[in-house]
Every structure is written in C-alpha cells, then in structure tokens.
Amino acid sequence: MKIYAFGVRDDEKQAFEQISDQCGVEVTLSDETPSLENADLVKGYEGVTALGMGNIDRDLLSRYSENGVRFLSTRTIGYNHIDLVAAKELGIKVCNAAYPPNGVADFTVMMILMCLRQYKQALWRGQVNDFSLQGLQGRDMNELTIGVMGTGRIGLQVLKNLSGFGCRLLAYDVYKNPEAEKIATYVDQDTIYKECDVISLHMPLFDSTYHIINHETIAKMKDGVILINCARGGLTDIDALVDGVESEKIGALGMDTVEGEEGIVHEDRRTDIISNRNWFYLHQFRNVIMTQHMAFYTKEAVESMVRCGIEGIVQMEKTGSCRTMLTK
Ligand code: NAD
C-alpha cells in the first residue's frame, strides 16, 4: 500500500517514519497543500493523507479518483475542507483523526483566563516597561457562568477542566452527552446567550453551524460577553465580531480560529503585504487575542494525528471501514 502525505511539517516526519514502518506501508512525504495543480502527484497511490489546509472539493476528488486513490484521511479532527458527498459518490473512503481532546481543551481554558485577566494588554505593556494596573482589572472565575456550545470530545474535556474553577457551567448541543450532564446543565441556545459571561464554541463547522455567532445572536448576549473560538473560524461571522468589539458589546475575544485565516496561519508572513483587512483589523484590538490555529499543537496530538492518518487508511483498506470513517 502506498500513501501520499500532503502538508507534512518537519515535526511530523519522525512519527511518519516510525508509524509507516510499523504499519508496513510506503509513505511519500510532501509539504505541499492539496490542490488541482498538484493532483497528479498522487498517481499510483491508493491512499492520500492531508491536513486542514486546501479545499478538497469535488473537482480535486475526481482527479484523485482518476489517479487511483481509494482512501483519504485527514490528520485533523475537523473535516469541513472535504466534500464527503462527492467522496462517497466517487467511491473514496474518508476518515478523520480522533486524537486526545486535552490539548485543545487546555488551550481553551488558557484563552478564557487570558481574556478574563486582560493578559494581552499586560503582556504588551510589560514589553515596554509599563507595569501599571489601570485597565487591567479582571474577574474571578467562580463568579461566572460559562457556556460550552458543542459537548463532544473537546467540549466535554473543557467542561471537565472548568469544573475545578467553581463556575456555573451551562451546555448546549443537539445531542446531550451523559458525561457532560454530570457537570453542566443543558439549556437552549438562547439561554446560553442570555446568561453566560463566557461562551466557548466546540462544534464542527457544518452548514447548520456556519455563522452560528452572528449579529443577531450577539445581540442576545450579555454586555461585555467573552467569546472563545478554538473550533473553526466559520462558526463566527467576522463582521459581527468586529461590530461587537467596536460597540463594546463584546468584552473580549479569544480566537484560535478566525474566518479568513487560510494563507495566514501556519505561515511566516513577516515581509508580505497581507490584504485580509477584517482579519487584521480584528487582530489589532487590545481585547482580542488571536492565535495561529495552534490549539491542537502538542507533542502528544501530533504523534496521534500521524498515527490516525496512516492507520485509518490501513484499516479502511483491510476491513472496509475504521472507527473514524466519515463516508459510511
Ligand atoms: P465531536 O464530534 O466529538 O463533537 C462535536 C459536538 O458538536 C457533538 O457533540 C455534536 O453533537 C455537536 N454539534 C454538532 N452540530 C451542532 C449544532 N448545530 N449545535 C450544537 N452542537 C452541535 O468533535 P470534537 O472532537 O469535540 O471537535 C470539535 C471541533 O473542534 C472539530 O470539529 C474541529 O473543527 C475543532 N477543532 C479545532 C482544533 C484547533 O486546533 N483549533 C483542533 C481540533 C478540533
């Protein structure tokens, strides 16, 4: 079995070497992002593994299929960059990764604390020897109501992490998670908006969740609400976020993922002119913390992502299915 691996970073290479040896597969590593321009690189490969960058749409999948690809794995949990309907029609089996939720959940709690304690401003000031306190007053976590939207693997772990802080925990999901029910109270969406001081998003990006945070939903929130997005940028309408911060309806944003991040995050753009105005405008506010889509990025997760990427393909080839198969 031959697998073509796209988007490979240096820090993944050792894991690729070890895991491909263990699985007895031949893997070709490439740092390119999947696109129509490089679609013929996969000729002669039955499996392709990719990360979250690049739009793996019907056209690209058709080319992969013509080139003999039968299996595709994304080494990410999110799979909104892959057209699953087209993959199924073309007979390409697709799976995603299911690495431990701890890294993203830990990062989320760090974002909440950084927002609550005005840490972006404190950090900036410290760098120019300004050690004043004015404007840096924060809030105690145990006085707050925190809402988690999407209580799957990551949302549940966020709730578990937060349960030690003594805050009131509310949850919203289309399905109730029995484990989350032990820690948090499930409420409807409007109650989350009305009662929460902090709202953290942990649902996948689907048509049904696209721009779930928009002008209308922000209007229902408490004044000074803190919004955290360590899931996918498309869950929040960037125009609504900008308006919310400008009007001070939003007290702070902690965003690991923001609409329009493609081509910016995971790149060194220091010497480039970057034209994404909204992304950069949002980035400059004193109370907006934006990180480079890095909540997943721990030693443990990277190893597991590579393992999921290879083992998923091997399993689908051997048995026709795997635990995280998306094209059932
Ligand atoms: P999961 O599938 O375990 O959980 C997702 C939850 O969202 C499920 O409980 C599901 O019922 C719920 N959901 C689906 N549609 C909903 C809706 N309309 N309203 C409310 N809830 C809804 O996934 P997970 O492992 O917890 O990951 C969640 C998301 O986090 C991923 O889809 C991915 O986009 C994102 N993610 C981001 C990073 C990062 O580095 N920032 C890393 C990993 C995952």
Side-chain angles (χ1 to χ4, degrees):
M1 155 77 104
K2 282 171 74 181
I3 298 175
Y4 196 91
F6 281 107
V8 177
R9 297 183 312 266
D10 285 347
D11 56 84
E12 291 183 300
K13 285 183 179 163
Q14 200 188 348
F16 263 111
E17 211 173 290
Q18 274 170 5
I19 297 161
S20 54
D21 269 1
Q22 285 164 12
C23 294
V25 292
E26 192 183 323
V27 184
T28 300
L29 307 185
S30 158
D31 62 1
E32 292 195 41
T33 299
S35 71
L36 280 174
E37 285 68 50
N38 58 29
D40 289 340
L41 291 174
V42 307
K43 225 174 229 163
Y45 292 80
E46 280 181 294
V48 167
T49 178
L51 285 171
M53 303 300 165
N55 189 15
I56 307 185
D57 58 11
R58 184 176 288 275
D59 288 348
L60 187 51
L61 286 163
S62 300
R63 288 277 292 280
Y64 284 173
S65 174
E66 285 157 23
N67 282 328
V69 172
R70 291 165 50 221
F71 308 101
L72 169 69
S73 68
T74 177
R75 308 193 291 287
T76 55
I77 293 176
Y79 49 87
N80 48 287
H81 54 299
I82 303 173
D83 183 340
L84 293 180
V85 175
K88 199 166 175 186
E89 282 170 19
L90 291 160
I92 298 178
K93 290 188 180 351
V94 183
C95 67
N96 68 339
Y99 55 87
N102 305 69
V104 180
D106 294 354
F107 198 91
T108 301
V109 174
M110 178 190 78
M111 283 291 215
I112 295 174
L113 285 166
M114 286 175 82
C115 286
L116 278 172
R117 305 308 296 266
Q118 320 276 359
Y119 196 64
K120 181 173 176 179
Q121 288 179 74
L123 192 65
W124 278 359
R125 287 187 198 183
Q127 283 168 348
V128 292
N129 284 2
D130 174 355
F131 305 114
S132 61
L133 281 178
Q134 192 271 329
L136 297 185
Q137 193 174 55
R139 297 285 309 275
D140 288 351
M141 286 271 266
N142 68 328
E143 291 296 318
L144 304 180
T145 299
I146 302 191
V148 168
M149 294 178 69
T151 54
R153 294 177 75 237
I154 295 171
L156 172 64
Q157 189 58 43
V158 169
L159 287 168
K160 285 182 181 170
N161 287 357
L162 290 173
S163 64
F165 286 94
C167 34
R168 177 175 172 241
L169 294 174
L170 299 184
Y172 168 74
D173 197 306
V174 283
Y175 300 107
K176 286 185 183 171
N177 179 332
E179 269 206 78
E181 254 181 325
K182 294 180 197 156
I183 317 171
T185 307
Y186 275 96
V187 293
D188 60 21
Q189 244 185 88
D190 278 358
T191 307
I192 292 272
Y193 300 144
K194 198 167 129 223
E195 297 194 11
C196 289
D197 302 286
V198 178
I199 298 172
S200 191
L201 306 176
H202 298 287
M203 61 264 276
L205 178 58
F206 293 148
D207 287 347
S208 60
T209 57
Y210 176 73
H211 283 187
I212 194 163
I213 302 301
N214 53 45
H215 283 101
E216 202 184 310
T217 50
I218 290 172
K220 295 178 182 175
M221 294 178 193
K222 278 188 166 184
D223 291 344
V225 65
I226 292 174
L227 289 179
I228 307 294
N229 187 359
C230 292
R232 281 293 178 271
L235 298 175
T236 51
D237 173 354
I238 194 164
D239 287 318
L241 294 181
V242 168
D243 289 343
V245 175
E246 280 183 340
S247 66
E248 299 185 26
K249 175 75 182 174
I250 292 175
L253 290 175
M255 314 289 283
D256 185 50
T257 53
V258 178
E259 225 176 4
E261 70 186 17
E262 297 77 15
I264 299 176
V265 298
H266 303 179
E267 305 286 337
D268 179 352
R269 305 292 307 266
R270 268 179 295 186
T271 54
D272 300 337
I273 299 293
I274 298 168
S275 58
N276 190 333
R277 292 183 192 184
N278 263 351
W279 198 94
F280 270 90
Y281 184 60
L282 194 60
H283 187 257
Q284 54 77 37
F285 287 110
R286 63 166 170 74
N287 53 349
V288 174
I289 298 170
M290 275 159 68
T291 48
Q292 52 266 55
H293 200 144
M294 60 176 284
F296 72 96
Y297 196 45
T298 66
K299 181 175 180 292
E300 293 77 7
V302 167
E303 205 267 347
S304 175
M305 288 163 89
V306 174
R307 185 169 290 285
C308 292
I310 296 179
E311 288 184 351
I313 291 178
V314 170
Q315 277 257 305
M316 291 193 293
E317 202 247 349
K318 272 195 185 144
T319 68
S321 180
C322 77
R323 195 166 53 92
T324 57
M325 195 161 103
L326 299 165
T327 41
K328 284 178 182 148

